[in-house]
Amino acid sequence: MLKATKRLIILSEQVNKYGFRALVEGVDLAQYERNPILLWMHYRAFGKKNEVILPLGNVIELKIETIDGIGKCLTGLPVFDDTDDFAVSIYNKYENGTLRMGSAGLLPVEWSSDETLIIQGQRGETLARSILEEVSIADIGADNNALSIALYDSNHTRIELSSSDTSAVIPLLINNKKSHMEKIELSAAKAAAILGTDVKSVDQFETKVMEVVQLAASQKNEIDNLKNQNQALQKKVDDAEKIQLSSKVETLVQGAVDDRKITADEKPHFVTLAMTDYDSVANILGGKQGAPTVQSQIQTKKEAKVSLYANKTWEQLDQEGLLIKLKSDDPNLFKELFKAEFDKEYEG
């Protein structure tokens, strides 16, 4: 036997092309599980010997599961007869995805016109209870998800269904309009009770309804006006915050330019960034070191020179060979040290 690698959707609860749907929970599986036959297109092994299509195999591991986009479904795992060439060919086409449709052969037990079971597009009653007779592989089916369906009569003979005329087999929802009208009448009675006990005539009812409609319209206008006022106020707040932020950004970025942390050419870029994320830009600029000015460089050099000669005697400077350098770097200091050492002015 050839066990398929993909589970087969046998039945879903969507509306099929015949206009009805079957409830998965209402399918009796006991009989089928005793003889889990898998057919091709619901064909039984009748007819001339050279025209007979034998069963393809079995369907095992039946279970009810919920599938995304489809809903509640009855699924099973097909197992194909590897001694039958036709069954093997169907197995290959099922595995490679050429064939992918399953079809449930159901024996109806109970049809229901319960409106809570009706979904969009349904024109036939809901098959609430049924018995699973067989499962088939199909090429084109009636249920776009399952993706097909077949019905059997009490003699276990397949019923030929037509999407244009199924009224003889599938009860139609002929009372649908009446039930909807009853709902409308019931709703009107409830509305009258809500509107007040003084509503005793059609004119009084219409007057009350108009009052409610006018009140609703008036309240809607008031709500719309409040929304518009709120939007206008919010815009003013947003504009004020934007102006305040723009001022903060200008102060921050221009300060960075003045401190030589960024160049004037870089200012527009940092202004744009700061308008989006002020705190991040403030942290970046706060951590940058400004470029040294000419004045600061001169002061640094001067301080370096002073520290080079500071607290040293004429003799120490002479021993370290720094007198010539001192004379070049700081003539005034050289003259002061010369006078202190020799008690006379330097005349060189």
Side-chain angles (χ1 to χ4, degrees):
M1 300 292 283
L2 298 171
K3 183 181 289 188
T5 60
K6 299 175 289 186
R7 294 185 65 80
L8 180 69
I9 300 177
I10 300 169
L11 178 69
S12 80
E13 293 190 337
Q14 300 298 311
V15 178
N16 56 58
K17 72 178 182 181
Y18 303 121
F20 74 96
R21 70 189 192 105
L23 300 184
V24 171
E25 295 281 3
V27 179
D28 186 346
L29 305 177
Q31 176 178 305
Y32 180 78
E33 288 179 331
R34 288 194 291 270
N35 181 38
I37 203 72
L38 177 63
L39 302 181
W40 166 248
M41 297 288 291
H42 305 290
Y43 289 123
R44 304 283 297 279
F46 300 133
K48 298 179 182 179
K49 185 175 181 180
N50 60 348
E51 297 176 354
V52 168
I53 299 178
L54 297 174
L56 302 177
N58 306 112
V59 179
I60 61 176
E61 300 178 12
L62 298 179
K63 70 176 181 179
I64 296 174
E65 56 184 311
T66 300
I67 299 176
D68 290 342
I70 299 177
K72 190 177 293 184
C73 298
L74 174 64
T75 68
L77 186 66
V79 180
F80 295 84
D81 185 352
D82 58 3
T83 65
D84 185 321
D85 291 341
F86 181 70
V88 172
S89 69
I90 298 301
Y91 164 79
N92 290 329
K93 291 183 183 297
Y94 180 75
E95 285 294 290
N96 65 27
T98 302
L99 295 171
R100 62 188 69 178
M101 302 178 80
S103 177
L106 301 174
L107 174 63
V109 175
E110 179 187 343
W111 293 94
S112 173
S113 60
D114 186 347
E115 289 193 6
T116 62
L117 300 177
I118 298 172
I119 63 176
Q120 186 175 1
Q122 186 173 342
R123 62 180 185 275
E125 293 188 357
T126 303
L127 184 53
R129 293 174 54 228
S130 59
I131 297 172
L132 183 62
E133 289 261 307
E134 48 87 9
V135 176
S136 289
I137 296 291
D139 51 5
I140 300 176
D143 179 343
N144 291 330
N145 297 305
L147 293 159
S148 183
I149 198 165
L151 297 182
Y152 288 84
D153 60 21
S154 58
N155 295 319
H156 304 283
T157 301
R158 184 159 63 91
I159 302 170
E160 294 297 331
L161 295 176
S162 167
S163 59
S164 61
D165 182 18
T166 58
S167 58
V169 178
I170 305 165
L172 299 180
L173 296 169
I174 56 176
N175 295 324
N176 224 15
K177 183 180 292 187
K178 179 182 177 183
S179 61
H180 285 316
M181 288 304 298
E182 289 173 349
K183 282 186 175 180
I184 292 173
E185 291 172 0
L186 179 61
S187 298
K190 287 184 177 180
I194 293 171
L195 291 172
T197 55
D198 58 331
V199 178
K200 297 177 181 178
S201 68
V202 173
D203 290 341
Q204 290 175 331
F205 181 81
E206 289 179 351
T207 300
K208 283 287 186 180
V209 169
M210 287 304 300
E211 289 176 357
V212 171
V213 171
Q214 291 172 359
L215 177 60
S218 175
Q219 290 178 337
K220 181 180 183 302
N221 290 335
E222 186 175 348
I223 292 172
D224 289 342
N225 289 334
L226 289 174
K227 285 182 178 179
N228 292 335
Q229 293 174 12
N230 184 61
Q231 290 174 354
L233 180 60
Q234 186 61 49
K235 185 177 185 304
K236 290 182 179 179
V237 172
D238 292 342
D239 290 344
E241 290 179 348
K242 188 173 182 180
I243 293 172
Q244 185 178 13
L245 175 62
S246 180
S247 177
K248 283 178 59 180
V249 168
E250 175 63 24
T251 301
L252 172 69
V253 179
Q254 185 58 48
V257 173
D258 295 342
D259 292 341
R260 302 176 62 84
K261 294 182 178 181
I262 60 173
T263 65
D265 291 340
E266 293 176 311
K267 179 180 176 180
H269 172 68
F270 278 92
V271 167
T272 301
L273 292 179
M275 289 297 293
T276 303
D277 190 348
Y278 178 88
D279 291 339
S280 296
V281 174
N283 289 334
I284 292 172
L285 296 180
K288 288 178 67 71
Q289 294 292 330
T293 63
V294 173
Q295 290 80 0
S296 66
Q297 293 180 14
I298 293 173
Q299 181 64 27
T300 299
K301 290 181 179 179
K302 184 175 181 181
E303 290 173 355
K305 291 175 183 177
V306 170
S307 63
L308 180 65
Y309 308 122
N311 301 321
K312 292 184 179 180
T313 64
W314 180 273
E315 184 178 356
Q316 288 174 329
L317 291 173
D318 185 34
Q319 291 175 352
E320 295 177 12
L322 295 176
L323 287 175
I324 296 176
K325 183 174 178 59
L326 172 61
K327 182 179 180 182
S328 173
D329 290 344
D330 194 340
N332 292 330
L333 179 59
F334 178 84
K335 291 178 180 179
E336 290 176 5
L337 293 175
F338 182 89
K339 184 176 181 180
E341 178 68 21
F342 300 106
D343 193 24
K344 64 178 182 178
E345 298 291 338
Y346 177 74
E347 298 177 357

